[in-house]
Amino acid sequence: MIIAACWAVLIFILSSQTHNRQNLQPWLQQHLPITAIEKHFASFEFYYGREKISMKDSGAAGLIEFLIRKLAHVVEYAILGGLLFQLLRKGLRFSVSISFFLALLFCVLYASSDEIHQLFTAGRNPKMADVYLDTAGACLGMSLVSLFSWIRSRKRGKAIE
């Protein structure tokens, strides 16, 4: 429980930082072949929520930073979802389905509150698409924990409950 709580606090602290404090673009521009990336992927674009993200508008460093930030959402919530699922399943001995539901519910509520919190953080903008991404990350984390538990139980010759 302590690890899951500490992880939730870490997510809160990271989302409390301004966008400028987390800016990766100077480092990316220094360490990546930006011009070559922009040349080869000049027409790369997609929509995130209702926002158009493109190489043309963001530049290579901006686009790569955006992708890193979104990957961070998935990883943060995969870990949180996995920790909560494991706590509910192994620590509190709830069934797999109840553990999955409660952990997912907590993650969705926490992701939503995190986006609301960003209303009050300079340079940050809340996005419903981030809640969806966080939810997908939580599902991924819980699914991986379930899969690894199932594999481990098969190796031990036990059936999963």
Side-chain angles (χ1 to χ4, degrees), residues 125-140:
N125 299 312
K127 292 182 176 66
M128 194 63 196
D130 286 348
V131 175
Y132 298 145
L133 196 60
D134 296 340
T135 301
C139 287
L140 175 66

Side-chain angles (χ1 to χ4, degrees), residues 7-22 69 72-73 76-77 110-127 130 134:
W7 191 256
V9 168
L10 178 63
I11 291 172
F12 180 84
I13 290 168
L14 292 172
S15 83
S16 297
Q17 295 178 346
T18 64
H19 185 274
N20 288 338
R21 188 161 180 208
Q22 294 179 342
R69 287 176 176 275
H73 274 269
E76 287 173 346
Y77 279 84
Y110 196 71
S112 299
S113 72
D114 189 48
E115 292 303 311
I116 292 168
H117 165 245
Q118 288 185 20
L119 280 169
F120 308 103
T121 305
R124 301 296 290 265
N125 299 312
K127 292 182 176 66
D130 286 348
D134 296 340

Side-chain angles (χ1 to χ4, degrees), residues 97-158:
S97 56
I98 296 294
S99 298
F100 198 94
F101 174 76
L102 290 176
L104 182 61
L105 178 64
F106 179 84
C107 287
V108 169
L109 293 173
Y110 196 71
S112 299
S113 72
D114 189 48
E115 292 303 311
I116 292 168
H117 165 245
Q118 288 185 20
L119 280 169
F120 308 103
T121 305
R124 301 296 290 265
N125 299 312
K127 292 182 176 66
M128 194 63 196
D130 286 348
V131 175
Y132 298 145
L133 196 60
D134 296 340
T135 301
C139 287
L140 175 66
M142 293 183 291
S143 297
L144 289 173
V145 168
S146 292
L147 177 63
F148 292 136
S149 293
W150 180 79
I151 290 169
R152 190 173 46 230
S153 72
R154 298 281 295 174
K155 285 183 178 179
R156 292 182 184 158
K158 298 179 191 175

